[in-house]
Amino acid sequence: MEKKTLNKEVLAAVRHVPLLSVAAARILDLTAQVDHTLADVMAVAKNDAALTARLLKIVNSPVYGLLEPATSLERAISYLGENLVVSLVLEDTIGAYLNKPLPGYGGGSGDLWRHDLRTAIAAKEIALINRDRCPPDVAFTGGLLHDIGKSILSEFLKDGYQEILAELAEKEVVDFVGGERDLLGIDHAQVGYELARTWGLPEVMQMVIRHHHEPSLAPEDLKPVVYAVHLGDIIAMMGGYGTGTDNLFYRLDQRYTDYLVVGPEQMGMLMLTVEEKFNETVETLQMR
Ligand SMILES: [Fe+2]
Ligand SMILES: [Fe+2]
């Protein structure tokens, strides 16, 4: 089939994805604002009864071992923290996309979500070292969403990944996104960007998703956060947690050192921290 026709079909599929819930859209908007507070997040969450109930249930689960049950949303959110609230909101609203198996990448159910969560944690850890130019919560949410385009493109890729792997072996393309473009006329970062625009996600999220494999193309003021997610993605993959056969068929843009202070000696430590925090988060979210 013509690449152009395919490209149109992919974009049509993006338009059929359900919209975000009101609470999710507002919380994502908030997290992209540098000066927001946990109280702002709370104000949105309290208008969503299902979310409030879920947050209270989690904070009162044995994982937290509270002596007295938390009955107020305020207490629940201050225990859990913003990143967990965002993870939950996203899981509730677009969980079907985040947990979908990725046959086009040879990935199973939940692989995308686990990879995204590891990327988010790694990106946030990197941002914490570079706090002056890189807001940690924005890096976290960007990490959670960076590969969302794969949930759509996977359907179109089908067995195509084998062809991409062959192209990579023959050096006809330099990375997996190049292979996607070669085969389908569009890559998962572009599809994710279209999805982010359809959902009306904040500009910074749109840019993180669009440029996470080519961070040098991001707008100058957003480069630190885009590079943090780029590097977080590579760290998640180095740990062996990608989304399938495409793992590590992406290039690390070494120019991250122009925007972020992360020494080579910190990489090993980051991988360990990510693993530890990932396990904690999964336990809290009671994910499998
Ligand atoms: Fe990606
Ligand atoms: Fe990724």
Side-chain angles (χ1 to χ4, degrees):
M1 202 186 296
E2 274 280 303
K3 276 185 215 164
K4 265 190 184 156
T5 327
L6 262 171
N7 201 320
K8 271 191 192 159
E9 278 184 45
V10 174
L11 295 178
V14 168
R15 285 193 293 275
H16 285 105
V17 172
L19 295 180
L20 294 178
S21 69
V22 175
R26 289 187 56 200
I27 288 178
L28 290 177
D29 257 349
L30 269 177
T31 61
Q33 292 166 22
V34 179
D35 55 353
H36 73 278
T37 64
L38 208 51
D40 299 326
V41 175
M42 205 130 36
V44 177
K46 79 168 194 277
N47 290 321
D48 188 313
L51 178 62
T52 301
R54 184 126 189 250
L55 290 169
L56 285 171
K57 190 174 165 211
I58 287 183
V59 82
N60 286 313
S61 71
V63 175
Y64 277 86
L66 295 186
L67 292 177
E68 278 175 42
T71 47
S72 75
L73 181 65
E74 193 175 355
R75 197 152 167 235
I77 290 187
S78 53
Y79 266 112
L80 294 170
E82 176 180 316
N83 298 152
L84 266 171
V85 175
V86 170
S87 308
L88 263 175
V89 164
L90 283 181
E91 219 207 352
D92 275 352
T93 188
I94 53 165
Y97 288 86
L98 291 165
N99 283 309
K100 222 160 78 165
L102 298 177
Y105 294 88
S109 172
D111 283 350
L112 178 59
W113 185 222
R114 287 187 283 269
H115 166 70
D116 286 343
L117 188 53
R118 282 188 168 90
T119 303
I121 295 168
K124 182 179 175 180
E125 289 299 313
I126 294 162
L128 284 169
I129 313 170
N130 296 273
R131 226 179 230 287
D132 54 328
R133 66 203 97 154
C134 193
D137 293 331
V138 176
F140 183 89
T141 308
L144 277 185
L145 288 166
H146 78 287
D147 267 341
I148 191 67
K150 284 185 180 176
S151 65
I152 306 261
L153 207 60
S154 172
E155 308 287 319
F156 294 88
L157 217 46
K158 293 179 192 137
D159 295 336
Y161 70 85
Q162 285 164 349
E163 212 172 300
I164 296 180
L165 295 183
E167 283 188 343
L168 282 161
E170 294 295 319
K171 300 206 179 346
E172 288 167 19
V173 288
V174 292
D175 56 12
F176 204 89
V177 259
E180 290 174 342
R181 288 193 296 269
D182 202 44
L183 207 64
L184 303 172
I186 194 164
D187 66 45
H188 71 264
Q190 293 166 331
V191 177
Y193 168 64
E194 293 300 333
L195 196 51
R197 289 204 320 162
T198 305
W199 281 337
L201 292 186
E203 172 82 7
V204 58
M205 294 303 156
Q206 293 184 19
M207 291 299 114
V208 164
I209 296 169
R210 183 178 188 176
H211 298 299
H212 73 271
H213 289 298
E214 290 161 320
S216 65
L217 301 179
E220 202 55 32
D221 59 325
L222 299 179
K223 276 187 178 145
V225 72
V226 176
Y227 269 102
V229 174
H230 173 71
L231 200 51
D233 185 26
I234 299 277
I235 288 173
M237 290 191 277
M238 275 166 42
Y241 300 101
T243 55
T245 45
D246 60 330
N247 200 24
L248 289 181
F249 286 114
Y250 298 100
R251 287 170 301 161
L252 170 65
D253 181 342
Q254 301 284 356
R255 283 166 290 184
Y256 72 84
T257 52
D258 294 347
Y259 300 92
L260 300 166
V261 180
V262 185
E265 71 292 346
Q266 280 171 299
M267 294 295 261
M269 191 42 115
L270 274 169
M271 283 173 73
L272 286 177
T273 311
V274 168
E275 227 18 58
E276 201 176 294
K277 298 213 164 163
F278 173 82
N279 290 329
E280 270 172 34
T281 312
V282 168
E283 196 183 359
T284 306
L285 291 173
Q286 290 149 341
M287 286 167 28
R288 284 170 298 277

